[in-house]
Structures are given as C-alpha cells and as structure tokens.
Amino acid sequence: RRRRRERERERERERARAPRGGGDDDALAADDGESNAETASVSVSSDRILDLSCGSGEVTLALRDAGVSVHRVDACDPYTSEAFARRVGAAVPFYPWSFEDIACGGVLEGRRWRVVVCSFAMHLCPPSYLRLLCAALAAATDELIVLTPHKNPHIPPEFGWTLAREAKDPTTRVRMRRYTASAATATEEEEEKKKKTIEVRGGGGVG
C-alpha cells in the first residue's frame, strides 16, 4: 500500500509538471506542430476507448474536447474514482483496476477496445509484471497510446507490441508513443489452443 501511494504521488507530481495550457490534449497532438486533427481522426472512428490509469480524467477530457463522446470512453484507476467523478461526471464507466489487476487478475478477459490510452502512468508499472500487462492489453486492443515524461516504459516487440510512431514535445519533453499489437506475437492462451488443436488432429490420424 505504501508503494502504491508513493507511485500515485509521483504520478501527480509529473502531471503537475505537464503544461497547463492544453495538458494531455496538447501532448496527444504534439508532433512537429500537428494540430488536434490527428487526435480527433484517430479517436472519433473508434468504437470504445479505455483511459487506462486515468487519474482525474485528463485524457478523457482531452478526447471530449477533440470531439469524442464521453459515452464511448471507459476509465480505470485504483485510486482516483472520486477525483475522476468530480471532474468528468458519472457518464463514463469507471473501474478500480490497477496494473497488477490487469496483468495478473484477468479483469480484461472478454473485453475489447479500439484503443487504450495511458497517460503519465505506465512508466511506473513494476518491471516484474510489465510484460504480463502488455500481453493482457494486446489481447484487449489493437492500438496502445502511451504518454510519458521518461524514456520508460520500454516495450520491446516480444511484449506483443510494435512501436508505430513516436512524437516528443521539444519544450516539455513529453513523449507520445503509438503502438500496434504485433500480429506475429500470439498470447500464451492462443498458443496453447493451437498446440491442443494440433495434438487432437494428430491423435485422430493415428486412431
């Protein structure tokens, strides 16, 4: 619990250092002077969006300002339900999921989103289950957008994601990374299903 509180305080300090004018909205759109049009074109076409580790709703509000209905957004954070509700309202479904819940608890099983956005948080995920977190997200979406003030998190292809694009704000040094789920990287469950299918077919041939 102490470590969780420390991680949350660190997140809030980093968010406080982010630019106040547009906040995450500017960071999402920042790429050599590009406007919010790219954010809108990516998000408006989506079915549902997950604001992962949502804090008090910075990304959700940025998406709303870009033209996305909040009724198409889900949000999760283990600490900030009251702050999120005060700022965004009750229209957005909110879940108390932590990174650990997603990585090890199977809370995303059977769920799908067009895109998952994680702002100023994923670099705080303990390395011990970052790979499991990435695998769970890859099973739930085809696109992941990570905003981070650091070089971390390091998400290599073997974690199930391919870096499609990276933009860096030259003033704040906030990085926006857009990943696509690696088609060649199957989850362990999918691999097990394939193995079982092969075994069944092989057994049937022998009989």
Side-chain angles (χ1 to χ4, degrees):
R1 290 182 179 178
R2 182 181 301 174
R3 287 196 296 271
R4 286 185 176 183
R5 287 195 296 269
E6 290 174 352
R7 288 198 297 270
E8 180 60 21
R9 283 195 293 268
E10 184 178 345
R11 281 176 54 195
E12 292 304 322
R13 286 195 296 269
E14 289 168 348
R15 281 175 169 151
R17 289 195 293 267
R20 292 291 182 182
D24 288 335
D25 194 9
D26 286 346
L28 278 166
D31 187 2
D32 300 328
E34 290 184 0
S35 68
N36 290 348
E38 182 185 1
T39 304
S41 65
V42 169
S43 303
V44 169
S45 63
S46 42
D47 296 322
R48 292 201 68 78
I49 302 160
L50 176 63
D51 185 353
L52 173 61
S53 203
C54 61
S56 58
E58 294 87 351
V59 167
T60 294
L61 293 176
L63 291 171
R64 182 199 64 185
D65 293 344
V68 180
S69 170
V70 295
H71 296 286
R72 299 168 72 180
V73 179
D74 298 316
C76 69
D77 197 296
Y79 311 107
T80 63
S81 59
E82 293 181 2
F84 186 89
R86 282 196 302 268
R87 191 172 183 187
V88 178
V92 176
F94 186 96
Y95 304 92
W97 302 329
S98 67
F99 288 147
E100 187 174 3
D101 293 333
I102 295 171
C104 308
V107 295
L108 301 190
E109 186 174 351
R111 300 175 184 266
R112 288 288 299 177
W113 290 272
R114 170 63 180 80
V115 60
V116 172
V117 183
C118 187
S119 174
F120 283 77
M122 202 164 173
H123 62 286
L124 299 174
C125 178
S128 58
Y129 51 81
L130 177 60
R131 182 167 189 159
L132 292 174
L133 172 65
C134 289
L137 291 174
T141 184
D142 292 327
E143 185 172 0
L144 173 66
I145 296 176
V146 177
L147 281 84
T148 175
H150 300 292
K151 293 181 180 179
N152 292 327
H154 175 57
I155 302 177
E158 55 265 31
F159 283 16
W161 292 96
T162 299
L163 181 61
R165 191 173 189 183
E166 180 171 11
K168 182 179 177 181
D169 188 299
T171 303
T172 64
R173 298 190 177 183
V174 172
R175 294 170 171 84
M176 182 197 78
R177 298 187 183 123
R178 178 175 297 162
Y179 297 88
T180 55
S182 302
T185 304
T187 63
E188 291 183 2
E189 182 178 353
E190 290 171 338
E191 287 295 333
E192 284 299 318
K193 288 181 180 179
K194 290 179 182 178
K195 290 179 182 178
K196 289 180 180 178
T197 301
I198 293 172
E199 289 172 0
V200 168
R201 289 177 178 174
V206 174

